[in-house]
Amino acid sequence: MATVGTLSDASEGGDNNEFTDIIKWRSDEHDAVQKKTFTKWINAQFSKTAKAPIKDMFSDLRDGRKLLDLLEGLTGSPLTKERGFTRVHSLNNVNKVLQVLHQNSVDLVNIGGTDIVDGNHKLTLGLIWSIILHWQVKDVMKDVMSSLQQTNSEKILLSWVRNCTRDYDSVNVLNFTTSWADGLAFSAILHHFRPHLFSWEEVICLTPVERLEHAFRFAKDQFNIERLLDPEDVAVQLPDKKSIIMYVTSLFAVFPNDITMDDIREVETLPRRYKVEPEEGHARSAPGMAGETEGAGRTRAETPGTLTEMHGEINVNLDTYQITLEEVLTWLLSAEDTLHMQDDVSEDVEEVKDQFHTHEAFMMELTAHQSSVGNVLQAGNQLIAQGSLSEEEEDEIREQMTLLNSRWENLRVTSMDRQSRLHEVLMDLQQQQLQQLSDWLTLTEGRIRKMEREPIAGDMEGYLAQLEQHKMLQNDLELEQVKVNSLTHMVVVVDENSGESATAALEEQLQSLGERWAAVCRWTEERWNKLEENQLVWQRLLDDQNLFGSWLAEKEKALREVQTCDFKDPGDINASVRTLANLKEDMAQKRRTLSALSDAGQDVTVLLNSPAAAQKIETDTDLLTQRWDNLVQKLEDCSSQVTEVVSLAGIPQVHEKRVVTETVTTITRRMEQTFTSSEQEIPPPAPPKRRHLDTDAELRRLAESDVPELLSRLAAWKSSALAARDSSDLNEKLQVLETGLAEREGPVKEVVQKGAKMMEQLEKEGVSADDALSRLDAVCKEWDSCQNIIQDLRNQARVLERVTAVLSGLEAVDGVLQEQEKRLISTEGFEAINDPQELQTLKDEDKCGLAELVKLQPQVDDLCAQMELLSAEPAVPDTLGPSVTALTSRHRTAIQQLRTREHDITTAKLSQYY
């Protein structure tokens, strides 16, 4: 029987009793493991910068010099150290360390310079853990945390581990303590990424220490991952959590780490998933007294071993009781540390959500371990009831049970208080979010009403200002979207006293806000699309007006430079006449542009629905029209002046005078016909010389502008058409190509007709038309090429449609065939059936299957006929013919097999009767 020492008064918390010694021993054990692991990590960092390693962490870090060396390597910045070695110098060094940590946003709680200099073990370990957490854990996972918008690194790490070990039935990682003790989790991660380098079946057969040794050695040899852990420190009842997280983070940094929100959500629901629901309707009750074990669930993380072996019907000895007590105390110490290490309740709603989920998991773990504590109390009571203990031993066990139950109750009450506080703060912060969103929506809805009442600006500058105003609204929506996303992941905590009405009210509030938010977003998007479309159309009108205004300015300048008097010789007159003729031709072409601008202005006016904008557009259009009319009038005046000079001047060259006079007269008459509103008869044909000048100008425009532009448009269409040949969506692109070719047909005909008329005119005048003919021939050839391409594409599309139909038919027939073939295989060996009724059932099923296959015969024949027609087409896949042939053969074989078996079954039935 184990020896039980004497307890001092448990209510006074004596330090000499074995119960307290066990707790202290467990705490020291964890500190020792952390010291060893943290020392290895520090020396691994020093090896990267060629710094001397440390031996005893608690003593070597006291002067702060090694801590500054460590931060130099982590931050990449040189840090000066005090030259002396007195306590003051050590304090200055450590304070500089704390300052650097603060500058790098490393959170430190209740750690001062004197704590490190004095060698406080707990706080020194806490300082190093904060450094590791920032540079080893969060730095490695910062990209993943950012992409998933998560702040809990432990949650992400556990999600990654569970994702890696999902396919291993013997591995179920629920935490960073007990789930790693058997070494299977480490081995599963390594095997998941390198399954060909070692055998999983062999690993399962090893002991936990051997598995851990294999995993750490393999990670070091294959991936150069430092052996931060020793197998004997992990293969214990409760491994050190921080040390495990450190090492797993090293694996995370080396291997791919694709994590999704589904993985995160799975981890968030772990406590509920693995929880065994308690009986008698206590599923949602909080953990109560440890002895009340009827409602307790149990997870895989529960303390193993003798806890599960103790029941009221088993005779318990003192050794079993002591072992069980030590196991429970080990867990209780870890739970108290976990609760103590939880951060203060935050004021940020997202952080509070994480804290809420973390503590919720902790509360579920308490519920799961409640039965373990109860088993200890039950075992103690049984020992006392057996009457085999001395009075001193019985008193000690009673005090142990009292103290254990007291610590359990304190832990439970403290946890419940934190849970209530988290509930209260979380609901308050979320309600603040809802109210803030409601207030924001009210202000935004007011902005929208104001923007709706505001008329469209009268000029582009004001319109662009309205666009910028709308962009500001869009930016505000994007910023608010972050808060709205947070509300979509609300944690609803309803007090039991509030009942279903509180939930209904909250749902109604969320629905109302959601509808208002959706309406604001919808209005903003629709208005932006409308504003942007109007801006593009209006800007295009303004650009066209500016171009036309520049053209008018150019012609006005050219007309001012035309000489209309004081001619010195017929050559000057002829030059003026030619200039006037060119101006007339240019204006005749531009007349349609002015009309188009006027029509476009009216369209934009209707689109904008703004009186101010309509007035501005109308004013600009009237100004252009007025300038046009002035230019026409000046051109007529100049032509009249030149004609008058020619008729009055004495020019000796009679022939030149006649030609010039006739030319000017023709210009005047044709301008009157073009620019005056009254209808006049077409003037008599101009002399041959004048027609040649007109034809020459038109031919030059055709050669230099019309034909090259048309050939360019046809070439662009051909490029798109040729690219569509190998496209998977040929039918859709064919419609677009046909539309594009139809749009080009009109300009092609216009150019060809115009060219033909000009060639006819040139032939009458005796001028060579070879150049014009070659250009028109190029247009015709290009058009014919486009026609051939579109026809080829149509044929290809038709073939593809037929191929698709054949493939669809193959799939349909294949489905029926597969079903019958599987049934034939599954019912082989019917000869062994002796039951006539069973044989008859099989025969009836075969008849139905045969009828179904025979019914497919026309469809199979049609597929063969379609394939025969397609065999000559070049775009048919090479595998289509063999597929049809194979299907036909399978269909024929299946029919034959069913008919043969029908005959055999009939024969078998007859043989049974005779």
Side-chain angles (χ1 to χ4, degrees):
M1 180 177 293
T3 303
V4 180
T6 304
L7 280 170
S8 58
D9 190 359
S11 61
E12 297 177 0
D15 295 331
N16 298 322
N17 62 72
E18 187 176 353
F19 187 81
T20 306
D21 289 342
I22 292 174
I23 294 178
K24 184 177 184 303
W25 177 74
R26 285 299 185 194
S27 178
D28 293 341
E29 183 183 39
H30 279 218
D31 289 352
V33 173
Q34 286 184 16
K35 176 185 177 182
K36 186 193 301 185
T37 307
F38 292 178
T39 300
K40 289 182 179 181
W41 182 82
I42 292 172
N43 288 336
Q45 303 305 314
F46 283 163
S47 67
K48 299 176 184 178
T49 56
K51 300 285 186 181
I54 61 173
K55 296 180 180 179
D56 187 298
M57 187 175 74
F58 295 142
S59 60
D60 292 347
L61 300 183
R62 290 177 63 176
D63 62 2
R65 301 175 70 85
K66 284 295 184 181
L67 284 172
L68 289 173
D69 286 340
L70 177 62
L71 292 180
E72 274 189 355
L74 295 174
T75 61
S77 303
L79 301 173
T80 58
K81 308 173 184 65
E82 292 286 328
R83 294 183 178 180
F85 293 92
T86 66
R87 178 177 175 83
V88 173
H89 295 120
S90 298
L91 283 171
N92 289 339
N93 285 333
V94 174
N95 287 331
K96 187 166 188 177
V97 168
L98 300 179
Q99 181 182 0
V100 172
L101 294 177
H102 178 72
Q103 291 171 353
N104 284 273
S105 301
V106 178
D107 296 328
L108 298 176
V109 180
N110 298 327
I111 299 178
T114 56
D115 299 318
I116 308 303
V117 174
D118 292 340
N120 185 301
H121 292 191
K122 285 284 186 183
L123 296 181
T124 301
L125 289 172
L127 175 69
I128 299 302
W129 173 244
S130 297
I131 294 174
I132 292 171
L133 190 63
H134 184 81
W135 275 283
Q136 167 78 9
V137 180
K138 292 186 177 179
D139 191 57
V140 167
M141 291 189 282
K142 61 184 179 182
D143 292 337
V144 178
M145 293 170 70
S146 176
S147 63
L148 294 174
Q149 297 183 351
Q150 293 288 318
T151 58
N152 191 322
S153 57
E154 185 177 330
K155 185 192 300 181
I156 290 179
L157 195 61
L158 186 57
S159 301
W160 177 75
V161 170
R162 290 185 61 81
N163 195 24
C164 295
T165 59
R166 193 180 306 279
D167 298 330
Y168 297 84
D169 296 336
S170 54
V171 180
N172 186 19
V173 182
L174 303 177
N175 52 45
F176 284 105
T177 52
T178 56
S179 295
W180 301 83
D182 57 9
L184 286 173
F186 291 112
S187 300
I189 294 173
L190 297 171
H191 190 265
H192 173 72
F193 292 105
R194 295 295 185 273
H196 57 286
L197 294 184
F198 65 89
S199 170
W200 177 253
E201 288 72 17
E202 294 179 1
V203 167
I204 293 179
C205 297
L206 300 176
T207 65
V209 173
E210 290 173 338
R211 287 193 207 107
L212 292 165
E213 173 62 30
H214 171 267
F216 298 155
R217 185 178 65 253
F218 182 87
K220 174 62 177 176
D221 295 341
Q222 296 293 329
F223 307 104
N224 198 30
I225 296 174
E226 293 293 333
R227 290 183 56 129
L228 301 176
L229 302 174
D230 291 327
E232 60 270 17
D233 294 332
V234 181
V236 295
Q237 293 174 352
L238 189 71
D240 180 61
K241 179 178 180 180
K242 295 176 181 177
S243 303
I244 299 293
I245 288 177
M246 276 183 58
Y247 190 79
V248 176
T249 305
S250 301
L251 299 176
F252 183 90
V254 172
F255 293 125
N257 43 49
D258 295 333
I259 304 173
T260 65
M261 285 305 301
D262 290 337
D263 299 328
I264 300 293
R265 283 189 283 270
E266 181 191 34
V267 167
E268 291 176 347
T269 59
L270 271 180
R272 293 188 179 89
R273 174 174 297 187
Y274 293 99
K275 174 185 172 186
V276 178
E277 291 294 340
E279 301 172 355
E280 300 181 8
H282 296 295
R284 302 188 62 85
S285 63
M289 289 294 289
E292 299 169 1
T293 60
E294 293 83 354
R298 186 174 187 268
T299 71
R300 175 184 166 181
E302 184 178 349
T303 306
T306 55
L307 293 182
T308 59
E309 300 167 2
M310 296 179 57
H311 302 281
E313 304 300 329
I314 297 178
N315 189 32
V316 181
N317 58 42
L318 189 57
D319 289 330
T320 303
Y321 168 77
Q322 291 290 354
I323 293 172
T324 306
L325 175 65
E326 183 177 335
E327 290 176 349
V328 171
L329 290 179
T330 300
W331 167 81
L332 191 60
L333 170 66
S334 174
E336 289 173 342
D337 287 345
T338 299
L339 182 61
H340 178 72
M341 289 170 58
Q342 290 185 11
D343 297 332
D344 293 338
V345 178
S346 175
E347 295 180 356
D348 178 77
V349 65
E350 293 304 317
E351 292 181 1
V352 176
K353 285 181 183 178
D354 287 337
Q355 290 178 331
F356 174 82
H357 290 303
T358 300
H359 191 71
E360 185 182 36
F362 179 78
M363 293 293 291
M364 298 301 294
E365 189 175 0
L366 287 188
T367 303
H369 283 81
Q370 182 174 330
S371 60
S372 303
V373 179
N375 285 336
V376 175
L377 301 178
Q378 184 179 5
N381 288 325
Q382 287 180 2
L383 277 174
I384 295 173
Q386 289 172 8
S388 58
L389 301 178
S390 65
E391 182 178 351
E392 183 181 357
E393 288 173 337
E394 289 182 3
D395 290 342
E396 184 171 351
I397 289 176
R398 287 190 178 96
E399 291 183 12
Q400 286 175 342
M401 290 192 297
T402 300
L403 186 56
L404 173 62
N405 197 75
S406 174
R407 292 183 72 108
W408 162 262
E409 186 64 16
N410 288 337
L411 178 64
R412 187 185 71 83
V413 171
T414 306
S415 300
M416 292 289 290
D417 290 343
R418 179 174 175 83
Q419 187 181 42
S420 299
R421 174 62 179 159
L422 285 169
H423 287 184
E424 179 184 352
V425 173
L426 182 57
M427 291 305 293
D428 184 55
L429 289 175
Q430 289 183 150
Q431 192 60 47
Q432 289 179 24
Q433 274 190 313
L434 292 175
Q435 188 59 47
Q436 288 171 0
L437 177 59
S438 178
D439 294 342
W440 183 89
L441 284 172
T442 300
L443 292 175
T444 304
E445 288 163 348
R447 288 173 64 183
I448 289 176
R449 287 191 294 270
K450 182 178 178 181
M451 294 168 73
E452 286 178 330
R453 292 192 298 267
E454 183 180 357
I456 298 297
D459 54 22
M460 182 54 69
E461 183 178 357
Y463 192 82
L464 293 176
Q466 290 179 323
L467 272 176
E468 288 300 320
Q469 182 187 28
H470 192 87
K471 285 182 181 178
M472 292 174 61
L473 176 62
Q474 287 181 313
N475 293 335
D476 291 344
L477 255 69
E478 292 176 2
L479 293 174
E480 195 68 20
Q481 182 70 56
V482 178
K483 300 178 183 177
V484 175
N485 291 341
S486 175
L487 288 174
T488 59
H489 302 289
M490 279 191 68
V491 178
V492 180
V493 182
V494 181
D495 186 78
E496 295 178 356
N497 298 326
S498 57
E500 297 181 357
S501 59
T503 306
L506 184 59
E507 290 178 352
E508 183 178 352
Q509 186 180 11
L510 284 171
Q511 182 178 0
S512 174
L513 291 175
E515 291 173 354
R516 292 172 64 189
W517 169 260
V520 167
C521 292
R522 185 168 54 252
W523 182 89
T524 304
E525 182 179 4
E526 291 174 355
R527 185 171 187 265
W528 171 253
N529 292 334
K530 183 178 180 181
L531 288 175
E532 195 174 37
E533 179 185 357
N534 292 352
Q535 191 261 339
L536 290 174
V537 175
W538 194 359
Q539 188 62 54
R540 189 180 302 119
L541 173 65
L542 294 176
D543 292 341
D544 291 344
Q545 287 178 337
N546 290 334
L547 287 175
F548 191 75
S550 300
W551 182 88
L552 283 175
E554 179 186 344
K555 300 308 172 185
E556 289 166 348
K557 179 182 177 182
L559 189 58
R560 286 195 300 270
E561 295 174 352
V562 172
Q563 185 178 357
T564 58
C565 59
D566 301 329
F567 295 107
K568 296 180 179 179
D569 55 52
D572 293 341
I573 297 177
N574 195 34
S576 295
V577 169
R578 287 183 177 278
T579 301
L580 292 171
N582 289 334
L583 285 172
K584 176 263 173 186
E585 294 292 340
D586 291 342
M587 294 187 68
Q589 291 291 330
K590 215 67 176 179
R591 177 66 189 182
R592 284 179 294 180
T593 302
L594 181 63
S595 299
L597 282 175
S598 179
D599 294 340
Q602 295 178 4
D603 294 339
V604 174
T605 298
V606 173
L607 191 64
L608 295 177
N609 192 24
S610 168
Q615 181 64 39
K616 180 69 168 58
I617 293 172
E618 184 179 358
T619 301
D620 293 341
T621 303
D622 291 343
L623 180 60
L624 292 175
T625 303
Q626 184 178 358
R627 290 178 62 187
W628 171 271
D629 293 339
N630 292 339
L631 184 59
V632 170
Q633 185 61 47
K634 290 180 181 178
L635 186 57
E636 292 178 354
D637 295 342
C638 290
S639 300
S640 300
Q641 292 175 17
V642 173
T643 303
E644 185 178 356
V645 169
V646 171
S647 63
L648 296 178
I651 300 177
Q653 292 85 353
V654 178
H655 175 69
E656 291 183 359
K657 178 180 178 181
R658 180 179 60 80
V659 171
V660 170
T661 303
E662 290 177 351
T663 301
V664 173
T665 303
T666 302
I667 291 173
T668 304
R669 289 177 178 175
R670 295 187 67 180
M671 285 196 312
E672 290 174 354
Q673 179 185 1
T674 304
F675 300 128
T676 56
S677 56
S678 59
E679 297 182 358
Q680 299 179 1
E681 294 183 359
I682 300 176
K689 180 66 177 175
R690 178 69 191 114
R691 283 200 305 271
H692 175 64
L693 290 176
D694 289 343
T695 303
D696 184 61
E698 292 179 3
L699 184 62
R700 184 172 63 252
R701 184 166 52 254
L702 184 73
E704 296 177 357
S705 176
D706 296 348
V707 170
E709 181 182 354
L710 187 57
L711 289 175
S712 175
R713 293 181 63 193
L714 292 176
W717 182 91
K718 282 180 65 177
S719 177
S720 299
L722 294 175
R725 286 180 172 176
D726 300 327
S727 175
S728 58
D729 52 347
L730 178 59
N731 280 326
E732 296 179 6
K733 292 189 175 181
L734 183 60
Q735 296 178 0
V736 177
L737 290 170
E738 287 178 335
T739 302
L741 193 61
E743 292 174 352
R744 289 163 173 79
E745 184 175 8
V748 169
K749 289 182 178 179
E750 183 179 353
V751 167
V752 171
Q753 292 173 358
K754 186 188 296 184
K757 290 181 180 179
M758 284 190 289
M759 286 192 298
E760 181 181 355
Q761 183 65 29
L762 291 173
E763 289 175 358
K764 289 181 180 180
E765 297 173 0
V767 180
S768 174
D770 292 343
D771 184 59
L773 183 62
S774 65
R775 293 180 183 276
L776 289 179
D777 186 55
V779 172
C780 293
K781 287 181 178 179
E782 193 71 3
W783 176 253
D784 291 340
S785 175
C786 294
Q787 291 290 329
N788 293 333
I789 291 174
I790 198 68
Q791 188 58 45
D792 290 343
L793 290 176
R794 290 181 183 129
N795 294 337
Q796 182 179 345
R798 283 194 291 270
V799 170
L800 290 178
E801 287 180 358
R802 291 164 62 188
V803 168
T804 303
V806 171
L807 289 173
S808 178
L810 282 173
E811 184 177 357
V813 175
D814 180 70
V816 178
L817 267 177
Q818 283 191 26
E819 182 179 349
Q820 295 302 323
E821 287 168 344
K822 289 179 181 178
R823 199 179 65 79
L824 280 167
I825 293 174
S826 64
T827 55
E828 287 180 348
F830 72 92
E831 296 86 353
I833 300 176
N834 296 320
D835 184 3
Q837 184 62 39
E838 189 174 350
L839 284 173
Q840 183 61 41
T841 301
L842 180 60
K843 182 178 179 182
D844 293 342
E845 291 176 352
D846 285 350
K847 279 186 177 181
C848 293
L850 180 61
E852 192 172 7
L853 291 179
V854 171
K855 188 178 179 181
L856 288 176
Q857 188 64 52
Q859 193 170 349
V860 174
D861 295 340
D862 182 64
L863 289 174
C864 294
Q866 290 292 335
M867 189 61 236
E868 186 175 354
L869 294 174
L870 288 171
S871 59
E873 298 291 346
V876 178
D878 296 336
T879 58
L880 189 62
S883 297
V884 174
T885 302
L887 185 82
T888 305
S889 175
R890 287 171 55 204
H891 180 258
R892 185 166 54 251
T893 301
I895 290 177
Q896 184 61 39
Q897 288 177 341
L898 286 172
R899 285 174 175 169
T900 300
R901 195 162 74 174
E902 181 183 8
H903 176 269
D904 292 345
I905 291 175
T906 302
T907 303
K909 289 180 65 179
L910 290 174
S911 65
Q912 290 178 359
Y913 287 112
Y914 299 101

